[in-house]
Amino acid sequence: MTFAWPDLLWSLLALPLLVLLYWWLMHRRKKNTLRFASLSIVKQAMGKGPGWRRHVPPVLMLLALATLLFASARPRAVVTLPLQQETIILAMDVSGSMRATDVLPNRMVAAQEAAKAFLNDLPRSVRVGVVSFAGTAAVVQPPTQNREDIVAAIDRFQLQRGTAIGSGIDLSQITGQRNMPLGPGDKPPKEFTPVPPGSFSSAAIVLLTDGQRTTGPDPMDAAKMAADRGVKVYSVGIGTKEGETIGFEGWSMRVRLDEDTLKNVANLTRAEYFYAGTAADLKKVYQSLSSRMIVEKKETEITAIFAAAAAALVLLSAALSVWWFGRVA
């Protein structure tokens, strides 16, 4: 827990003084009582005293004051909150290497099935778009809430030559932000101003690839552009780390996963990297991602919680005082 105004915590030192004041008042009251000639006569007249109950309302009021003083320092804590994610772009590699069978039945089919399961775990209010990339990138489904259209777009993937990871990131972040609806009175910004990485909470990119960049812009340049716009890029590497030799349209090559680049892309945009060596691993990755798209952990000011607790203690103290003694002590 952190505090916006930590110096105000020094005010808690006043609490022991209040405890001493309460003890002094009770001691003074006792001395005044002893002035009567006969305590037994007084006790008979008053009946059974309040005993320990007389101390409960003051203790509750003291706790309420301590809570208010604590709240005045504006405490902040990491809490789990609903994520206001409105648009998610699935950027999926459709290069020829996705036909490799080290992930059964092959990388492409495993990726398609996991992506469709991912859709089922997302709230219906989240819009999802699909970008495919190989030698170039293309929007195969603009962001929509229609899950049937998204599934149909994923099923239409056709394998192609080349792996332009940077192009996939570029087109995904443009698609995600371009399709954000403007609010009443909002106007498109005339000039671009960089924002803190990961600060754009309305859209995110899930990037899935199995190989190294062979063409197109540098993925790190594309990630930098996404980071400057606050867009998170969650990267998923699919396939064995050792790689595999595949044949495609008369040629063969060994495809390896460039984990370092994918990790750097995720780190630069304040997101996460996931490795999926099997179809089961890939499904678990997407399940983890779906939970991240619904909630997030964020440092938030929780002053209101302590203020509410203090108010409840005050009300409880007053209620008990009225119930036991017929007045607010």
Side-chain angles (χ1 to χ4, degrees):
M1 184 179 293
T2 59
F3 300 89
W5 297 340
D7 290 343
L8 289 181
L9 291 174
W10 290 104
S11 61
L12 292 172
L13 294 177
L15 296 179
L17 298 178
L18 293 177
V19 173
L20 290 175
L21 177 62
Y22 177 73
W23 176 85
W24 179 77
L25 290 174
M26 294 300 297
H27 184 70
R28 181 183 177 188
R29 182 179 179 182
K30 185 176 180 181
K31 288 179 62 177
N32 291 336
T33 303
L34 290 175
R35 294 176 182 175
F36 288 96
S38 175
L39 275 177
S40 60
I41 298 176
V42 175
K43 288 182 178 180
Q44 290 178 4
M46 294 181 60
K48 189 176 180 181
W52 58 268
R53 291 183 300 177
R54 74 170 61 179
H55 303 296
V56 173
V59 169
L60 291 176
M61 289 296 293
L62 187 66
L63 289 175
L65 180 59
T67 305
L68 281 176
L69 292 175
F70 189 83
S72 68
R74 297 179 60 188
R76 300 175 63 89
V78 177
V79 297
T80 301
L81 300 171
L83 187 61
Q84 301 301 317
Q85 207 75 261
E86 298 180 9
T87 304
I88 296 173
I89 304 297
L90 295 177
M92 302 186 67
D93 189 344
V94 295
S95 60
S97 58
M98 291 290 285
R99 67 173 62 241
T101 57
D102 54 349
V103 178
L104 297 176
N106 63 47
R107 296 176 181 177
M108 187 75 266
V109 173
Q112 288 172 311
E113 294 303 316
K116 287 185 281 189
F118 172 68
L119 292 175
N120 293 331
D121 292 334
L122 290 176
R124 299 290 296 189
S125 59
V126 176
R127 302 188 310 154
V128 179
V130 183
V131 169
S132 66
F133 64 91
T136 59
V139 178
V140 295
Q141 176 58 60
T144 179
Q145 293 177 343
N146 190 315
R147 298 299 189 251
E148 290 74 20
D149 289 348
I150 302 168
V151 170
I154 293 173
D155 287 337
R156 288 196 301 266
F157 286 159
Q158 297 292 325
L159 298 181
Q160 305 167 35
R161 289 189 177 185
T163 306
I165 299 175
S167 297
I169 297 173
D170 281 342
L171 186 57
S172 295
Q173 69 93 10
I174 292 171
T175 302
Q177 291 196 317
R178 182 178 58 196
N179 285 273
M180 285 302 302
L182 296 175
D186 290 348
K187 296 180 180 179
K190 294 181 179 179
E191 296 181 2
F192 169 70
T193 302
V195 299
S199 60
F200 186 69
S201 61
S202 297
I205 299 170
V206 177
L207 171 72
L208 182 141
T209 181
D210 73 334
Q212 298 173 308
R213 166 215 176 205
T214 61
T215 186
D218 189 326
M220 294 311 300
D221 291 340
K224 179 64 168 59
M225 186 171 72
D228 287 342
R229 287 158 177 77
V231 178
K232 292 183 178 181
V233 181
Y234 295 90
S235 56
V236 181
I238 182 174
T240 57
K241 296 181 180 180
E242 298 77 17
E244 182 174 297
T245 300
I246 62 166
F248 183 58
E249 295 182 355
W251 55 268
S252 64
M253 67 176 295
R254 188 170 187 82
V255 291
R256 290 184 174 88
L257 181 63
D258 185 2
E259 281 198 298
D260 289 340
T261 295
L262 295 181
K263 289 178 181 178
N264 290 334
V265 166
N267 290 335
L268 184 60
T269 61
R270 301 297 187 269
E272 295 178 73
Y273 166 73
F274 301 88
Y275 170 68
T278 66
D281 289 341
L282 185 57
K283 287 186 177 180
K284 290 180 181 178
V285 165
Y286 273 113
Q287 288 174 352
S288 177
L289 280 169
S290 65
S291 66
R292 284 165 169 76
M293 299 302 174
I294 298 172
V295 297
E296 68 173 345
K297 290 185 177 180
K298 185 177 181 180
E299 188 178 42
T300 305
E301 185 172 333
I302 54 175
T303 302
I305 296 177
F306 287 95
L313 288 171
V314 170
L315 291 175
L316 180 59
S317 173
L320 291 177
S321 184
V322 171
W323 182 22
W324 286 339
F325 312 120
R327 68 183 189 279
V328 178

